Amino acid sequence: MDTIKREEIVNLFKDNVKELIGSDVRIKGWVRTKRGNKNVSFIALNDGSTINNIQIVAELTNFDETLMKKITTGACIRVDGKLVESMGQGQNVELQAKEIELYGEADPNTYPLQKKGHSLEFLREIAHLRPRTNTFGAVLRIRHNMAFAIHKYFNDRGFFYWNSPLITASDCEGAGEMFQVTTLNLDNVPLKDDKKADYNQDFFGKSTFLTVSGQLEGELGAMSLGKIYTFGPTFRAENSNTPRHLAEFWMIEPEMAFYDITDNMDLAEDFIKYLVQYALDNCKDDIEFLNKMYDNELINRLQFVVSHSFVRLPYTKAIDILLESKHKFDVPVSWGMDLQSEHERFLVEQHFKCPVILTDYPKEIKAFYMKQNEDGKTVRAMDVLFPEIGEIIGGSEREESFEKLTKRMKELDMKEENYSWYLDTRRFGAAPHSGFGLGFERLLLFVTGMANIRDVIPFPRFPKNATF
Ligand code: 4AD
Ligand code: MG
């Protein structure tokens, strides 16, 4: 049967599968379960192309007993057989096996993914195998679809994909949470006369770090190509052991010349709604699975977001609402504070019951590059807050005035000479402009309904963990 065409299992769940009924097809995949009796085995096979398994029916008289014994959960096989309509529930077709080849066994005594449902905590410890489960298959297919939709959204609207460097000498957010990149021998660091490390001898001739954001270089893109977006990994050495923080996460950062804060908010809202709608339209099986298994409100929440306008209000008004509320917060509320997740979630989930965009934050809690308001106290920042998650987007209109920007940098003790290349955007042809950053994994938390950010990326990086 060498000439049989291999079908991916996803194709056997499409409407036009009817054309294949009665013919021979070849399927390759990993065994999810095997059950049956002394006459017949039913094998559920999955090849990763879909959440759905195809059922293989093997009459035992046709197959070698030792071969059949080795077909256990996790084993990889090829099956040639006749595709027939299925009597069983929940599937349209099944395969009557004619020939089975065993590619790889999976010893039932040592293969960790046996039939029973595993906890997400346990699966995190075997992150190299967890993509073979229904849950992670679903999450990672959605992750792919969202990445594709992000490029499509921007490409369709005339944005250019722009690659900011990952290794950098500047701290965009100014929070000092950067991983150092060095080739110096840490057991024998060359020292200068003042006993400090001599970075002149380091690979780049200066101290360098993994970037926390591609924005500063992204602004150079916007000042030349007009509208750009980055989509790449970013790194933060913040010691946050929370279900919403990773040390290595992916960020999407659009940056647009001639956009003010309102244009920026409009883009952010339209962008998120597009992505959620794209997931509803293109990841139906996987989202329905997650809705059934983990979170019965998931689909309702997704539909709610695409069909409602986000509330927009200034930080100062949000503080008033929090102060007037009877709610008891762990961290007490006062003007000037950085809002905690509990405050953000109160506004979104209990007060407005809707996604919220907060603007005009105190300048002390925001980065140096944000446009300063006339009041001298606040900046034209915008954070998009989502149910269950809190902050999903952070952005702002940028300060385009060279004088105001360098004055702020001085206040923050930033060395102007380290940012001379960045300041050239304000020296030469400065323009009003805006941008924001969407945390890719925070978006995925929302779209999949998963509760922990470590479960929406294949190999999470967090404090004391860099296995796999
Ligand atoms: O608010 P942040 O720090 O903003 C910036 O980095 C700006 N330079 C973006 C810009 O204007 N171009 O981060 C942006 C988003 C957050 O809203 C959050 O969704 C996500 O990045 N994020 C994280 N996601 C996972 N783990 C972490 N440790 C994150 N830190 C931020
Ligand atoms: Mg932020």
Side-chain angles (χ1 to χ4, degrees):
M1 291 214 256
D2 280 352
T3 54
I4 299 184
K5 183 169 166 274
R6 178 193 164 208
E7 285 295 340
E8 290 187 19
I9 293 169
V10 64
N11 294 332
L12 306 180
F13 287 84
K14 291 184 177 157
D15 287 342
N16 61 3
V17 70
K18 291 189 191 79
E19 295 160 21
L20 288 175
I21 287 178
S23 60
D24 283 343
V25 299
R26 168 171 292 178
I27 291 161
K28 300 177 179 185
W30 292 270
V31 175
R32 282 292 163 82
T33 57
K34 189 178 82 173
R35 59 189 176 81
N37 52 43
K38 52 187 188 319
N39 302 320
V40 60
S41 272
F42 300 100
I43 302 165
L45 202 68
N46 189 283
D47 65 3
S49 61
T50 163
I51 187 93
N52 298 304
N53 303 325
I54 181 84
Q55 170 155 284
I56 315 280
V57 185
E59 304 275 353
L60 294 182
T61 46
N62 299 337
F63 297 97
D64 179 45
E65 204 185 319
T66 46
L67 170 76
M68 290 310 290
K69 271 211 184 102
K70 289 178 182 165
I71 297 180
T72 55
T73 296
C76 186
I77 59 175
R78 164 180 71 83
V79 186
D80 292 350
K82 186 172 155 192
L83 200 68
V84 298
E85 271 184 77
S86 175
M87 301 289 146
Q89 272 195 344
Q91 62 210 5
N92 296 325
V93 294
E94 61 189 28
L95 196 71
Q96 287 177 348
K98 293 183 179 174
E99 191 180 298
I100 300 179
E101 180 185 357
L102 178 66
Y103 286 141
E105 296 174 46
D107 181 353
N109 296 314
T110 51
Y111 183 60
L113 292 174
Q114 299 301 328
K115 261 182 263 182
K116 58 179 171 7
H118 297 288
S119 73
L120 294 170
E121 289 76 20
F122 170 73
L123 292 174
R124 235 169 269 148
E125 289 165 21
I126 51 164
H128 58 303
L129 293 172
R130 65 180 183 172
R132 295 193 196 183
T133 62
N134 284 332
T135 299
F136 285 90
V139 167
L140 295 174
R141 277 185 296 271
I142 294 171
R143 187 179 167 105
H144 158 79
N145 275 284
M146 289 294 88
F148 179 78
I150 285 160
H151 285 295
K152 180 166 166 50
Y153 178 86
F154 286 123
N155 184 61
D156 288 352
R157 287 157 184 77
F159 285 67
F160 298 106
Y161 181 39
W162 169 273
N163 301 120
S164 287
L166 300 189
I167 299 175
T168 173
S170 47
D171 182 357
C172 172
E173 294 304 300
E177 295 167 333
M178 304 182 86
F179 289 102
Q180 190 160 2
V181 175
T182 181
T183 52
L184 293 180
N185 178 356
L186 295 184
D187 293 323
N188 185 16
V189 177
L191 301 177
K192 295 181 297 185
D193 292 343
D194 62 2
K195 297 273 187 282
K196 294 216 168 107
D198 183 6
Y199 288 109
N200 287 322
Q201 297 185 45
D202 203 350
F203 189 90
F204 296 104
K206 54 161 82 171
S207 54
T208 51
F209 306 88
L210 293 175
T211 191
V212 296
S213 159
Q215 178 195 322
L216 300 188
E217 295 87 352
E219 287 186 47
L220 292 151
M223 291 300 111
S224 46
L225 304 184
K227 291 187 304 200
I228 62 93
Y229 68 105
T230 71
F231 183 8
T234 42
F235 308 87
R236 295 198 185 176
E238 52 187 334
N239 204 355
S240 312
N241 261 305
T242 83
R244 278 176 284 277
H245 288 87
L246 289 167
E248 176 180 301
F249 65 97
W250 288 62
M251 192 161 31
I252 300 98
E253 297 187 271
E255 191 72 36
M256 298 74 58
F258 318 121
Y259 273 47
D260 66 14
I261 187 81
T262 305
D263 302 323
N264 206 24
M265 287 191 277
D266 290 345
L267 179 71
E269 181 168 343
D270 186 62
F271 179 44
I272 296 202
K273 285 179 170 169
Y274 173 91
L275 295 176
V276 173
Q277 187 64 53
Y278 189 94
L280 285 167
D281 294 343
N282 294 278
C283 309
K284 205 164 173 291
D285 291 352
D286 289 324
I287 287 179
E288 278 172 2
F289 171 82
L290 296 168
N291 189 78
K292 190 173 80 194
M293 299 300 289
Y294 291 98
D295 181 353
N296 299 145
E297 281 303 305
L298 174 61
I299 293 176
N300 286 343
R301 246 190 344 263
L302 299 180
Q303 283 167 343
F304 183 88
V305 161
V306 290
S307 57
H308 288 79
S309 293
F310 298 1
V311 170
R312 302 178 183 190
L313 80 160
Y315 167 95
T316 302
K317 285 225 173 91
I319 291 289
D320 289 344
I321 290 170
L322 292 170
L323 285 172
E324 280 159 23
S325 83
K326 301 273 174 299
H327 194 88
K328 246 194 131 11
F329 296 106
D330 292 340
V331 179
V333 177
S334 63
W335 196 95
M337 75 182 306
D338 208 355
L339 296 183
Q340 306 295 307
S341 167
E342 56 172 338
H343 308 122
E344 297 174 341
R345 292 185 59 177
F346 175 84
L347 292 169
V348 173
E349 289 163 32
Q350 301 191 36
H351 189 83
F352 291 110
K353 299 187 167 43
C354 182
V356 172
I357 310 183
L358 289 189
T359 57
D360 304 292
Y361 283 73
K363 66 177 182 199
E364 275 75 25
I365 57 168
K366 289 293 181 190
F368 74 98
Y369 50 71
M370 294 190 181
K371 189 172 175 71
Q372 297 159 28
N373 283 324
E374 284 73 42
D375 63 11
K377 289 189 292 198
T378 60
V379 286
R380 226 161 282 178
M382 55 168 241
D383 279 10
V384 181
L385 312 180
F386 255 49
E388 310 279 318
I389 290 162
E391 181 189 335
I392 192 166
I393 282 180
S396 75
E397 188 169 336
R398 315 307 187 191
E399 181 54 73
E400 80 254 28
S401 149
F402 181 86
E403 285 69 33
K404 286 186 186 164
L405 187 60
T406 47
K407 183 164 168 275
R408 183 74 188 133
M409 289 172 72
K410 269 198 202 85
E411 285 167 12
L412 293 169
D413 249 351
M414 295 170 68
K415 288 207 185 74
E416 216 180 288
E417 63 265 27
N418 290 349
Y419 295 85
S420 63
W421 56 273
Y422 176 69
L423 291 170
D424 273 356
T425 54
R426 276 57 171 182
R427 274 188 199 103
F428 309 120
H433 64 291
S434 298
F436 62 82
L438 168 66
F440 189 42
E441 286 77 19
R442 299 247 176 118
L443 170 79
L444 288 169
L445 279 178
F446 183 71
V447 172
T448 62
M450 290 278 105
N452 193 316
I453 200 162
R454 298 171 189 182
D455 295 335
V456 295
I457 186 167
F459 303 105
R461 293 288 175 261
F462 49 92
K464 303 278 178 269
N465 187 289
T467 324
F468 319 111

